[in-house]
Amino acid sequence: MNVEKAWETLKQHSFKRTKNREAILEFLAERDGYTAAMDVGEYLKKDNPGVSFDTIYRNLATFAELEILEETDLNGERQYRMHCDPGVHHHHFICTVCGKTKHIPSCPMDHIAVNLPGVEIQGHKFEVYGKCPQCQ
């Protein structure tokens, strides 16, 4: 997802274009992987020292809820990245050092569900963690 598509989604849900939202989206759009909320906050505080982490977390949560951002728990903290393909089911390999991601082209649930007869699967999350070639 790019920043303009993100603004279209926000507008459809009656969210106003603010300086903080703009800065968050621009910052994450430039990143190649997952980024910690604290890093987003440090970036915003350079130009707006009065911005609260509550504002940052609230906007990140809203963006994730609207599928503008993907979120994960990496190294014990919530991290975010621009959504690759909203509405399309997919999974990632995530580098535990730099946060860069690589798309996994198939869903492992196709194989796992075979071993779960009689259950109703309502959702899942599958991420593979390790070190990318540059961080090894």
Side-chain angles (χ1 to χ4, degrees), residues 28-44:
L28 290 173
E30 295 172 2
R31 312 286 295 187
D32 192 20
Y34 282 94
T35 302
M38 293 295 280
D39 293 334
V40 175
E42 289 174 15
Y43 172 78
L44 262 65

Side-chain angles (χ1 to χ4, degrees), residues 63-131:
F63 296 163
E65 184 178 312
L66 295 175
E67 294 190 346
I68 293 168
L69 299 180
E70 295 178 15
E71 63 181 324
T72 193
D73 185 25
L74 185 59
N75 300 324
E77 61 184 313
R78 299 305 300 159
Q79 299 210 12
Y80 301 87
R81 64 169 284 177
M82 291 298 279
H83 210 298
C84 316
D85 214 351
V88 175
H89 183 75
H90 65 284
H91 302 285
H92 292 113
F93 165 83
I94 304 169
C95 179
T96 56
V97 178
C98 68
K100 288 183 182 175
T101 62
K102 181 170 174 57
H103 177 76
I104 298 172
S106 62
C107 178
M109 278 306 292
D110 297 339
H111 303 288
I112 295 169
V114 172
N115 296 311
L116 300 170
V119 303
E120 178 184 333
I121 299 169
Q122 296 178 330
H124 69 278
K125 186 171 185 173
F126 186 82
E127 296 171 335
V128 177
Y129 301 98
K131 292 181 182 178

